[in-house]
Amino acid sequence: MRLGTFNLMHGRSLADGRVDHDRIAESVAGLDADVLGLQEVDRAQPRSGHADLARIAADALGARHVLFVPAVVGTPGETFRAATDEDHDGPEPHYGIALVSRYPVLQWRVTRLPAAPLRAPIVIPGPRRARLLLLDDEPRVLVAAVVATPAGRVTIATTHLSFVPGWNIRQLHLVRRALRDLPGPRVLLADLNLPGRLPRLVSGWHRLASVATYPSPAPRVQFDHVLADSRGFERLPRVLGVTSPEMPFSDHRPLLVTMRDRPGTLSID
């Protein structure tokens, strides 16, 4: 069983600035993930050729189960508003997160997380050089699924937390609270915008992978995480390996955890 998380940066390459749908499909297929959490996902956005990037990823993996949930309607960094549940199937440009699963999904749950009430500086990567901009925060979304895996029923969730320091910690507490009444074991596949061991210290969850994922050309920090709730952790399969391959697009590298299909007790952290 392979679980992964990947911030797509709407599929744009740092090398040539293009969004190539075939390149995205080929790269995601190579991850061979059974369940994949995706962040910074576009749907019907002009900048990414009006494509449904979650559907491209699901088709590439041969996954029958996929849920894309918009966090905003419009284009981040330009004009946008907070998405609502009524916006899910609307024709406007959407930007959000998705969870893709080859395994059957028994239940979906969506939780919306409020944006920080203040602006914060953020680095915007580009083909030639990065830019530092002062941006409004965006509302965030948590997507959780109860999945029928070879190891039994597991709750697997994905999210993309705020880049505003402190606010992302508050959101992580909200995530943990939102998941606690779903069946265990519970696993979070996410870009938390929190470095290294901090998510483990804040949440109390086990850290299943310790690998730098950002920035993608030469990673120095881990913002992307695979965490497992300590409650029910003993029923998860054993971790066999962790990979974070280089990709031809995005400013993040994906993070993949491969697990054996029998219960174990191995924890990275």
Side-chain angles (χ1 to χ4, degrees):
M1 181 168 72
R2 179 174 291 176
L3 309 180
T5 181
F6 188 18
N7 181 322
L8 297 180
M9 199 183 78
H10 63 270
R12 183 163 62 88
S13 167
L14 295 182
D16 59 26
R18 296 190 303 114
V19 177
D20 184 313
H21 302 158
D22 291 336
R23 178 164 57 190
I24 294 170
E26 182 179 358
S27 300
V28 171
L31 298 179
D32 195 28
D34 297 304
V35 184
L36 183 63
L38 299 171
Q39 304 87 39
E40 297 197 15
V41 183
D42 277 4
R43 185 174 71 184
Q45 291 277 2
R47 67 185 182 183
S48 50
H50 301 275
D52 184 339
L53 297 187
R55 174 52 57 188
I56 288 175
D59 290 345
L61 290 170
R64 295 178 55 190
H65 302 268
V66 55
L67 181 62
F68 166 81
V69 178
V72 304
V73 177
T75 304
E78 299 178 16
T79 301
F80 67 88
R81 64 171 174 83
T84 68
D85 293 341
E86 286 70 33
D87 290 311
H88 185 270
D89 296 317
E92 303 94 342
H94 289 159
Y95 173 81
I97 65 172
L99 191 66
V100 176
S101 177
R102 290 170 169 169
Y103 303 135
V105 172
L106 308 178
Q107 176 186 348
W108 292 103
R109 178 181 292 181
V110 174
T111 304
R112 296 193 175 273
L113 307 172
L118 68 160
R119 287 187 161 194
I122 186 171
V123 176
I124 305 296
R128 296 183 179 178
R129 62 185 180 87
R131 296 176 295 153
L132 184 65
L133 298 178
L134 191 65
L135 296 179
D136 291 319
D137 192 24
E138 305 154 12
R140 308 288 169 155
V141 182
L142 170 71
V143 174
V146 180
V147 183
T149 79
R153 188 174 60 172
V154 180
T155 294
I156 304 176
T158 189
T159 192
H160 182 197
L161 299 188
S162 173
F163 54 80
V164 178
W167 196 258
N168 43 26
I169 291 177
R170 178 177 184 273
Q171 288 176 332
L172 184 54
H173 286 302
L174 294 175
V175 165
R176 186 180 60 175
R177 186 182 309 162
L179 296 177
R180 66 186 176 190
D181 66 335
L182 289 172
R186 287 169 284 270
V187 178
L188 180 63
L189 315 170
D191 175 359
L192 300 178
N193 273 314
L194 293 166
R197 295 171 59 89
L198 188 55
R200 155 75 167 141
L201 298 174
V202 169
S203 68
W205 287 28
H206 294 279
R207 183 180 175 211
L208 300 187
S210 178
V211 178
T213 58
Y214 181 90
S216 55
R220 297 185 300 275
V221 63
Q222 181 179 3
F223 286 138
D224 307 275
H225 298 271
V226 179
L227 303 177
D229 192 347
S230 56
R231 293 175 297 175
F233 176 73
E234 70 282 355
R235 301 200 304 275
L236 278 176
R238 182 184 300 272
V239 174
L240 293 181
V242 174
T243 57
S244 184
E246 186 174 2
M247 303 291 275
F249 62 94
S250 183
D251 55 342
H252 289 245
R253 292 191 183 188
L255 182 63
L256 299 160
V257 172
T258 302
M259 310 177 87
R260 189 193 306 268
D261 295 342
R262 65 174 179 82
T265 58
L266 177 63
S267 170
I268 300 300
D269 189 8

